[in-house]
Amino acid sequence: TLGILAWALVARDFRFEYVGQYASRLLPWQYCFSALWVGQAGSLLLWAWMMGLLAMVLGFSPAVDTDVRDTAFGLVMGNVCFIVAVMVFAADPMAPSLVAADDGAGLSPLLQHPSMLIHPPIVFLSYATWSVPCALALAALGHRRVDANWTHMARPWAISAWTILGVGLLLGAHWAYQELGWGGYWGWDPVENGSLLPWLTGTAFIHSIMAWRY
């Protein structure tokens, strides 16, 4: 599904409603492709795919406590199912256009920037990665195994998610400085804060599990 929508955006197939909303014939192909994560429906589709892939990695990874790992796998996949349900009932990325137009609306000029090609996917990847240590913590609580074993499993995922989100924040700040005209690298925009607060919370979480290990 993700590949079909990506190809439809690049090919400007306006039979899809989503393509008509965010692509146009005059828009360069790379920005048509980036429209995949501009709208809510496309973003949810990308997010679900990322979490599904990471859940598979978690499911096949070695673990000191397989029960906690398997339960965490189920929790992440449950989250994927929830997002899929939202797409099915409220934000279908594959919805057909009632009338196929000759051209689409395209992207806002503010979004036609090289950072658009990499910044949002990195942020979504970090959110998807954060779901794994969260699921491991819930699984450990559910199994009443709140020893240090689950922290050993969660630590690599948490550090990876924290690092990826940090890179996304830096790219977003650079984009804001170049394109959005706020006069600085940070404008305390709600979208920026929506990434900063998880990063700060993740910093505290990593420190906590490091102390928990000892």
Side-chain angles (χ1 to χ4, degrees), residues 7-65:
W7 176 255
L9 286 165
V10 174
R12 284 86 164 179
D13 188 347
F14 298 111
R15 292 176 297 175
F16 293 91
E17 182 182 6
Y18 189 88
V19 178
Q21 290 176 338
Y22 300 108
S24 69
R25 298 194 183 279
L26 295 179
L27 191 66
W29 73 267
Q30 63 268 29
Y31 293 120
C32 286
F33 179 77
S34 71
L36 182 64
W37 45 79
V38 170
Q40 181 186 59
S43 298
L44 289 173
L45 180 61
L46 179 65
W47 196 356
W49 267 93
M50 287 180 171
M51 279 203 297
L53 291 174
L54 291 174
M56 296 301 294
V57 174
L58 173 64
F60 288 104
S61 62
V64 293
D65 191 328

Side-chain angles (χ1 to χ4, degrees), residues 101-204:
D102 293 330
D103 202 355
L107 291 182
S108 166
L110 292 177
L111 300 179
Q112 297 178 38
H113 187 275
S115 294
M116 184 62 195
L117 305 176
I118 188 172
H119 166 64
I122 287 178
V123 173
F124 278 116
L125 178 60
S126 70
Y127 292 161
T129 309
W130 273 123
S131 67
V132 176
C134 176
L136 288 168
L138 292 174
L141 287 172
H143 286 285
R144 298 181 182 275
R145 297 176 184 173
V146 289
D147 51 19
N149 285 334
W150 78 270
T151 66
H152 287 281
M153 293 186 289
R155 182 173 176 268
W157 291 96
I159 292 177
S160 298
W162 180 85
T163 303
I164 295 169
L165 186 55
V167 172
L169 286 169
L170 292 175
L171 288 172
H174 180 67
W175 184 6
Y177 182 79
Q178 283 194 323
E179 184 72 20
L180 300 182
W182 289 331
Y185 287 100
W186 203 264
W188 298 108
D189 182 86
V191 176
E192 293 178 321
N193 293 337
S195 299
L196 176 63
L197 293 179
W199 187 84
L200 293 175
T201 306
T203 303

